């Protein structure tokens, strides 16, 4: 009898407290509603079909492991974001029409889809975690993007990698060459990450863009723009376009060590190319030679034992949906898995301090400035809520066989660039002749001895001619730049209807203010 009494009192008390505490049922309180906003279209590396198995895997491992969030359940809702405004509409519809406010937003990845969702997330105090939204504009977390945490390295982190690489080589000027199409503008945002970092260092830059989706791509013009620019060339375009540019540069004799080419290829998938020169066509031999002066920047790959199981499961789920490809795991798939883990860790902390899942800002705060174990290795989020990036540089280490290997790695948290010790570095001393002051030297070495005029007159003429040429060039470039900017702007006005304007204009401002 006494034991029954002892047992039943706390039970009754608990039941009474639960009934009285709030109008929402205890079920509802321990239910974490996750809204995933990603495109259905499988041409995206981060389509729902590709990412869903990773999210399910993470949710399952969280629920199997009762120690992390005891009693909590996840309910995951998947909605098509279409890489556009559909993302915002899905969120609004869920809240306004179905009366269900999510506790966590995962995605969107596309910049123009993510921007309005991020604004609404801060307005409604909802944590938003994305493996995308990599543009530099999202780094400003004080205002409208306050609730966004990025679990993949943003483009500006890649910019920091280039800065470390440039410091390593003692370079301080660059040509940025990228493909841009006014749609999703991936390469534009990628290059912007480099531009912003270089601009802070006051590195002189030559910036050129082209539209590779156009019917006719003028490779000669691209090569001429490289020749008119700096000796270190950073490029972003599809794998095939990079190969065509390298072939054209090779034919102009620009692959003998006078230029250093870099290709940004973060996601290593069939749709972005795999950094290889090989295509099985008649240009393979030339391409192999050309690629000896090309280095590819990619994400540093790490794996650990659990990763194998994860990738097997994701692979079989994706295959069941009829997708057959080379690599099933990419940065986005990994990132969204790790996003669930990060949220669970943050929520656990918040609960410990006596807050609830409704305290979005508290949860967001807990996602920042922390390091945790992701599915493929350690994930470090900086105090601003952006993941530190680790990157690798791949180069051709054997020009005869054309083999490419990782030659160096950048560790973002430490800000350290390291050349791997066990590889033969292709650009040994004397092999790479990057002379950043080439143009200057030419003009200084103007032969004067044979000139019939007096030295001062020659100096005057040379200086005058240089000044004139400089002015003409300045005028020309100014006009050209100006025109490009205007064209961009007016094209934007047309195809921008409904897209996120401010992000775009911010980006443009930051991008072109140095031009
Ligand atoms: C369960 O979660 C705890 C805390 O996050 C972790 O230390 C532990 O390794 C996890 N166990 C499994 C089997 O995943
Ligand atoms: C890279 O892609 C090309 C064609 O896209 C293919 O022929 C080649 O085998 C691939 N190489 C690797 C290492 O995946
Ligand atoms: C891409 O993946 C293939 C195999 O999956 C690998 O051999 C190659 O080195 C990778 N390339 C880059 C640029 O990461
Ligand atoms: C980040 O966390 C470390 C300890 O984990 C702390 O010393 C540091 O002050 C934190 N930084 C910020 C900006 O909160």
């Amino acid at each position: 009898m006494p034991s029954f009494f002892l047992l039943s009192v706390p039970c009754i008390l608990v039941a009474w407290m639960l009934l009285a505490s709030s109008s929402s049922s205890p079920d509802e309180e321990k239910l974490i509603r996750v809204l995933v906003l990603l495109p259905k279209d499988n041409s995206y590396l981060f389509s729902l079909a590709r990412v869903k198995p990773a999210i399910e895997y993470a949710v399952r491992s969280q629920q199997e492991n009762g120690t992390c969030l005891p009693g909590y359940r996840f309910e995951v809702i998947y909605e098509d974001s279409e890489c556009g405004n559909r993302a915002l509409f899905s969120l609004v519809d869920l809240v306004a029409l179905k009366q269900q406010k999510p506790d966590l937003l995962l995605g969107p990845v596309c910049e123009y889809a993510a921007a309005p969702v991020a604004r609404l997330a801060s307005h409604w105090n909802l944590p938003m975690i994305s493996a995308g939204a990599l543009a530099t504009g999202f780094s400003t977390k004080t205002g409208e993007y306050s609730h966004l945490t990025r679990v993949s390295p943003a483009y500006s982190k890649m910019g920091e990698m280039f800065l470390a690489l440039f410091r390593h080589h003692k370079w301080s000027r660059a040509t940025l060459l990228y493909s841009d199409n006014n749609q999703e503008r991936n390469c534009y945002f990628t290059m912007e990450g480099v531009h912003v970092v270089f601009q802070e260092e006051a590195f002189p830059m030559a910036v050129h863009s082209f539209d590779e989706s156009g019917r006719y791509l003028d490779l000669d013009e691209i090569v001429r723009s490289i020749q008119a620019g700096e000796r270190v060339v950073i490029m972003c375009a599809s794998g095939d376009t990079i190969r065509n540019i390298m072939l054209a540069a090779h034919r102009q004799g620009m692959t003998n060590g006078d230029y250093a080419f870099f290709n940004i290829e973060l996601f290593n998938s069939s749709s972005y190319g795999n950094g290889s020169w090989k295509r099985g066509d008649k240009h393979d031999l030339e391409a192999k030679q050309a690629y000896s002066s090309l280095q590819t920047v990619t994400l540093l790959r790490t794996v650990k034992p659990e990763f194998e199981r994860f990738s097997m499961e994701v692979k079989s789920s994706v295959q069941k949906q009829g997708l057959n490809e080379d690599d099933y795991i990419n940065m986005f798939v990994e990132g969204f898995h790790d996003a669930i883990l990060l949220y669970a860790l943050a929520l656990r902390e918040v609960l410990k301090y006596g807050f609830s899942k409704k305290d979005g800002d508290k949860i967001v705060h807990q996602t920042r400035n922390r390091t945790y174990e992701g599915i493929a290795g350690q994930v470090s989020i900086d105090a601003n809520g952006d993941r530190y990036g680790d990157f690798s540089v791949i180069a051709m280490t054997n020009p005869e066989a054309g083999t490419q290997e990782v030659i160096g790695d950048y560790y973002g948290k430490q800000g350290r660039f390291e050349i791997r010790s066990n590889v033969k570095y292709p650009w040994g001393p004397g092999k790479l002749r990057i002379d950043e002051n080439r143009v200057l030297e030419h003009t200084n070495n103007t032969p004067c001895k044979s000139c019939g005029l007096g030295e001062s007159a020659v100096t005057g003429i040379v200086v005058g001619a240089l000044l004139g040429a400089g002015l003409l060039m300045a005028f020309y470039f100014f006009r050209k730049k100006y025109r490009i900017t205007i064209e961009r702007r007016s094209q934007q006005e047309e195809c921008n209807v409904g897209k996120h304007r401010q992000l775009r204009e911010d980006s443009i401002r930051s991008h072109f203010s140095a031009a």
Side-chain angles (χ1 to χ4, degrees):
M1 218 36 171
S3 68
F4 169 70
F5 187 67
L6 269 178
L7 268 174
S8 64
V9 164
C11 284
I12 292 165
L13 252 175
V14 166
W16 178 79
M17 272 165 59
L18 282 176
L19 277 175
S21 64
S22 71
S23 53
S24 62
S25 67
D27 253 16
E28 185 74 11
E29 249 170 55
K30 291 205 158 186
L31 178 72
I32 299 162
R33 200 172 275 130
V34 184
L35 175 61
V36 180
L37 295 166
L38 290 171
K40 264 213 171 73
D41 182 350
N42 278 323
S43 65
Y44 296 102
L45 284 171
F46 41 85
S47 67
L48 280 171
R50 291 193 173 89
V51 174
K52 191 175 170 183
I55 292 177
E56 310 269 275
Y57 184 99
V59 165
R60 219 175 327 117
S61 66
Q62 280 302 306
Q63 279 170 354
E64 278 167 13
N65 187 348
T67 57
C68 199
L69 287 171
Y72 277 83
R73 276 190 318 114
F74 285 89
E75 180 190 283
V76 189
I77 305 156
Y78 298 91
E79 289 287 350
D80 186 4
S81 70
E82 269 180 2
C83 208
N85 269 333
R86 178 86 180 264
L88 176 67
F89 299 155
S90 299
L91 171 60
V92 173
D93 284 351
L94 186 74
V95 175
L97 304 180
K98 296 190 193 145
Q99 302 282 322
Q100 292 183 335
K101 206 163 175 179
D103 302 301
L104 167 65
L105 297 171
L106 290 187
V109 166
C110 300
E111 332 293 331
Y112 295 124
V117 171
R119 283 202 211 99
L120 207 50
S122 42
H123 178 61
W124 282 341
N125 194 19
L126 302 176
M128 168 175 172
I129 306 182
S130 182
L134 304 174
T136 305
F138 292 108
S139 308
T140 314
K141 300 284 177 65
T142 44
E144 47 189 7
Y145 306 129
S146 60
H147 282 54
L148 172 66
T149 298
R150 298 187 284 182
V151 281
S152 293
Y155 296 132
S156 54
K157 300 289 184 196
M158 187 198 60
E160 287 166 16
M161 190 242 37
F162 271 106
L163 182 59
L165 185 75
F166 269 51
R167 291 221 166 108
H168 175 86
H169 288 293
K170 302 195 168 57
W171 295 331
S172 59
R173 350 171 43 102
T175 293
L176 311 186
L177 186 64
Y178 63 97
S179 158
D180 194 9
N181 58 8
N182 280 308
Q183 293 294 311
E184 283 143 31
R185 313 193 79 190
N186 288 322
C187 275
Y188 171 85
F189 287 123
T190 306
M191 259 332 163
E192 187 196 20
V194 181
H195 192 274
V196 165
V197 173
F198 279 13
Q199 196 175 28
E200 269 171 26
E201 297 294 313
F203 283 3
M205 283 173 276
V207 183
H208 297 280
S209 71
F210 52 88
D211 184 358
E212 67 180 338
S213 60
R215 253 178 312 164
Y216 178 65
L217 183 61
D218 191 347
L219 287 166
D220 292 333
E221 197 196 307
I222 291 175
V223 167
R224 272 198 301 277
S225 73
I226 296 175
Q227 285 168 332
E230 307 293 345
R231 291 308 191 94
V232 185
V233 185
I234 303 175
M235 302 184 285
C236 178
S238 73
D240 285 337
T241 301
I242 294 291
R243 188 168 180 265
N244 289 335
I245 293 174
M246 288 311 294
L247 284 171
H250 182 63
R251 286 167 197 150
Q252 296 293 318
M254 294 160 70
T255 56
N256 299 322
D258 292 338
Y259 289 84
F261 293 90
F262 287 89
N263 166 31
I264 301 170
E265 204 169 271
L266 298 182
F267 314 122
N268 190 21
S269 152
S270 37
S271 48
Y272 283 79
N274 54 20
S276 169
W277 46 268
K278 207 182 278 171
R279 292 289 186 284
D281 62 11
K282 63 175 193 270
H283 302 300
D284 264 2
L285 184 63
E286 264 184 303
K288 185 168 78 178
Q289 292 162 353
Y291 272 47
S292 66
S293 49
L294 177 73
Q295 302 197 356
T296 298
V297 167
T298 185
L299 293 164
L300 175 73
R301 306 291 312 180
T302 52
V303 287
K304 56 182 204 183
E306 199 201 338
F307 184 80
E308 288 304 313
R309 194 161 70 98
F310 169 72
S311 67
M312 291 310 292
E313 273 190 39
V314 169
K315 182 176 174 181
S316 78
S317 304
V318 176
Q319 276 175 340
K320 270 188 209 128
Q321 302 179 65
L323 286 170
N324 282 299
E325 44 211 6
D326 302 334
D327 43 355
Y328 293 87
I329 308 288
N330 57 49
M331 178 184 87
F332 304 107
V333 173
E334 261 175 45
F336 282 110
H337 172 281
D338 294 349
I340 295 275
L341 300 194
L342 179 61
Y343 177 81
L345 285 172
L347 179 60
R348 194 175 55 165
E349 300 281 307
V350 164
L351 296 174
K352 211 163 66 189
Y353 297 129
F355 298 103
S356 80
K357 63 165 190 170
K358 295 283 173 217
D359 295 294
D361 48 346
K362 300 277 187 309
I363 297 173
V364 170
H365 183 74
Q366 288 298 329
T367 61
R368 301 191 173 165
N369 191 24
R370 76 180 308 149
T371 298
Y372 67 103
E373 269 311 309
I375 191 64
Q378 250 180 16
V379 179
S380 290
I381 311 283
D382 71 9
N384 192 41
D386 293 332
R387 183 180 177 168
Y388 288 104
D390 297 339
F391 299 90
S392 294
V393 178
I394 297 171
M396 191 177 281
T397 47
N398 181 343
E400 279 76 49
T403 42
Q404 291 161 296
E405 275 180 276
V406 173
I407 57 156
D409 304 285
Y410 173 74
Y411 300 95
K413 196 173 180 197
Q414 296 80 21
R416 195 177 69 228
F417 183 78
E418 281 175 9
I419 294 289
R420 288 199 182 177
S421 52
N422 55 344
V423 291
K424 196 168 117 273
Y425 190 62
W427 295 342
K431 269 226 172 143
L432 189 69
R433 304 185 301 268
I434 305 296
D435 183 2
E436 291 198 324
N437 302 315
R438 174 185 52 131
V439 183
L440 221 77
E441 277 184 10
H442 263 298
T443 50
N444 284 346
N445 293 344
T446 315
C448 273
K449 296 225 168 67
S450 56
C451 306
L453 291 167
E455 208 165 16
S456 62
V458 170
T459 315
I461 288 168
V462 168
V463 168
L466 279 176
L467 267 177
L471 275 175
L472 264 175
M473 269 169 69
F475 178 63
Y476 173 74
F477 280 118
F478 173 74
R479 266 196 45 189
K480 212 170 159 198
K481 248 330 162 274
Y482 187 67
R483 208 183 61 224
I484 289 172
T485 315
I486 296 296
E487 273 170 16
R488 280 251 170 79
R489 279 197 188 269
S490 50
Q491 276 172 16
Q492 274 155 29
E493 308 298 329
E494 286 158 27
C495 60
N496 212 14
V497 191
K499 277 193 175 174
H500 167 33
R501 275 273 276 289
Q502 200 184 332
L503 172 68
R504 179 168 288 202
E505 279 171 6
D506 277 346
S507 309
I508 281 169
R509 213 180 303 136
S510 64
H511 196 90
F512 284 101
S513 50

